[in-house]
Amino acid sequence: MRTADFDYYLPEELIAQTPVEPRDHSRLMVVHRKDGTREHRHFYDIVDYLHAGDALVINETKVIPARLLGVKEDTGVPVEVLLLRRETATDWEALVKPGRRLKPGAVCSFGDGLLKCEVLSSVAETGGRIVRFMYDGVFEEILDRLGEMPLPPYIHEKLADRTRYQTVYAKNEGSAAAPTAGLHFTPELLERVRQMGVTIVPVTLHVGLGTFRPVTVEDVDAHVMHSEYYQVSQEAADTLNAIRASGGRIICVGTTSVRTLETVATEDGVIHAGAGDTAIFIYPGKRIKAVDALITNFHLPQSTLLMLVSAFMGRETALDVYREAVEERYRFFSFGDAMFIE
């Protein structure tokens, strides 16, 4: 299977630059896999497609203000450090600019010296660096003060309210990008879902910037997936297994939730508790063992996210759905509209 098999035409004006207000007023395309029909609704209509006894799996990860702008201490040259993942209490893997000037030993300063970091080493796989931070006080508080939200490169508008790049249920800090399918939910909509008898089950997967990295190899099988930290509690695993055993559906909010459950599920579809790093890559030909339905956004051409969606409903169907979304002027990517695949 070739990467080019997952390409599609997208007019640039359909790439959403700002989120819809209120959150749940974005559009929703409903894709019925059984008969191939599609409906065009709004996200608040999702309640019409959920049933008592179902499970709605949400990713409780929280985006950190991971983009730091400062200067190289010895020269005053402007620098950018983008945090990817925490290694220790003081050390992080990060992407840095300008890379050619930030070699091991270089020191960067942020907020007039309130926060500093030293480049320790290079990371060949990502082109990043391991950096060690130096500061007085609580790192998270300093980062919250100095850092900016790491919006994807296709969003050119500045975000007025940084909470709009967080889900309303964001809890566990560690992501460099938002699990964007969850951005459509409001507290009120989630409460309606609960009142219907749908069980909301939290998991965690810290989203890395690798989620936006294009697939550069020609053969899909040769792509090496980025690694991300996940956690599924025993309570979550027990709840999901009981729901499935009683005939309920497991409905994932976002591809990150799918990747989390498929990482811990055995071939029989049983979900197990666990935590660690996952580099699971789901694309057509890979069997989805534990997930029955998916709420997701519209993803980049030739991306691993589109490949995962294609594993759900077949590549040709997925590309036809995307063609229809373009014709119907849906909004694409992180701040765009949503799709429910059942």
Side-chain angles (χ1 to χ4, degrees):
M1 193 169 291
R2 298 179 309 123
T3 300
D5 293 336
F6 297 89
D7 201 8
Y8 67 91
Y9 168 69
L10 179 66
E12 191 171 345
E13 67 268 18
L14 295 185
I15 300 174
Q17 295 297 313
T18 55
V20 167
E21 296 292 351
R23 290 173 181 256
D24 60 358
H25 279 52
S26 51
R27 295 171 70 193
L28 177 71
M29 183 190 289
V30 181
V31 180
H32 302 280
R33 285 183 291 173
K34 272 188 179 175
D35 58 12
T37 60
R38 296 155 204 171
E39 298 177 70
H40 303 289
R41 307 289 297 274
H42 285 91
F43 195 80
Y44 49 73
D45 296 319
I46 193 70
V47 293
D48 294 341
Y49 303 94
L50 306 179
H51 313 305
D54 286 342
L56 191 69
V57 182
I58 61 172
N59 181 5
E60 285 189 327
T61 191
K62 188 173 186 179
V63 185
I64 59 173
R67 186 169 178 252
L68 288 163
L69 302 176
V71 296
K72 190 165 181 277
E73 194 170 56
D74 58 350
T75 63
V77 169
V79 298
E80 176 181 329
V81 174
L82 188 58
L83 306 182
L84 296 183
R85 59 187 290 156
R86 196 170 204 155
E87 302 287 334
T88 69
T90 57
D91 297 0
W92 286 75
E93 182 184 348
L95 295 177
V96 300
K97 293 180 184 176
R100 66 186 182 284
R101 295 186 180 228
L102 297 178
K103 293 182 167 54
V107 176
C108 303
S109 177
F110 312 95
D112 294 324
L114 183 64
L115 181 66
K116 294 184 180 183
C117 75
E118 179 184 357
V119 178
L120 299 184
S121 60
S122 298
V123 182
E125 296 81 14
T126 63
R129 305 285 189 274
I130 300 297
V131 301
R132 175 166 294 163
F133 284 98
M134 300 157 281
Y135 53 90
D136 292 319
V138 180
F139 178 77
E140 287 76 13
E141 292 177 359
I142 296 170
L143 186 64
D144 195 55
R145 178 175 163 186
L146 299 180
E148 297 181 2
M149 279 298 184
L151 293 179
Y154 48 73
I155 294 177
H156 310 299
E157 299 277 339
K158 196 163 179 69
L159 190 62
D161 177 6
R162 66 163 63 175
T163 66
R164 286 303 274 110
Y165 197 56
Q166 299 278 20
T167 63
V168 297
Y169 45 76
K171 182 178 178 184
N172 305 317
E173 291 192 335
S175 273
T180 53
L183 295 177
H184 304 284
F185 282 99
T186 64
E188 296 77 15
L189 183 57
L190 285 169
E191 186 54 34
R192 283 183 66 193
V193 169
R194 283 191 191 94
Q195 294 295 329
M196 292 171 57
V198 175
T199 304
I200 297 175
V201 181
V203 298
T204 295
L205 184 136
H206 291 323
V207 188
L209 289 180
T211 194
F212 300 115
R213 189 171 293 138
V215 178
T216 54
V217 293
E218 195 172 309
D219 183 356
V220 169
D221 286 310
H223 177 67
V224 178
M225 197 73 173
H226 57 284
S227 180
E228 296 166 320
Y229 176 81
Y230 73 90
Q231 186 172 34
V232 178
S233 69
Q234 189 64 56
E235 181 183 1
D238 291 344
T239 300
L240 291 170
N241 290 328
I243 284 171
R244 206 157 201 219
S246 63
R249 297 176 300 169
I250 294 179
I251 301 165
C252 276
V253 179
T255 57
T256 60
S257 298
V258 174
R259 293 182 66 234
T260 302
L261 294 192
E262 292 299 312
T263 293
V264 297
T266 42
E267 287 301 317
D268 55 4
V270 174
I271 294 165
H272 302 268
D277 291 331
T278 181
I280 190 171
F281 182 21
I282 300 170
Y283 56 95
K286 302 284 185 179
R287 190 171 75 86
I288 294 174
K289 307 181 290 285
V291 181
D292 301 300
L294 171 62
I295 297 169
T296 188
N297 281 19
F298 294 92
H299 305 295
L300 279 75
Q302 299 189 22
S303 65
T304 60
L305 305 179
L306 176 55
M307 292 173 189
L308 186 152
V309 169
S310 297
F312 250 88
M313 56 179 167
R315 184 186 68 87
E316 290 184 6
T317 300
L319 291 177
D320 193 54
V321 164
Y322 271 59
R323 277 191 291 271
E324 186 170 336
V326 169
E327 288 172 6
E328 297 290 334
R329 309 297 288 176
Y330 275 73
R331 301 166 81 244
F332 279 65
F333 304 165
S334 296
F335 287 143
D337 296 315
M339 169 169 47
F340 179 48
I341 310 166
E342 68 163 5

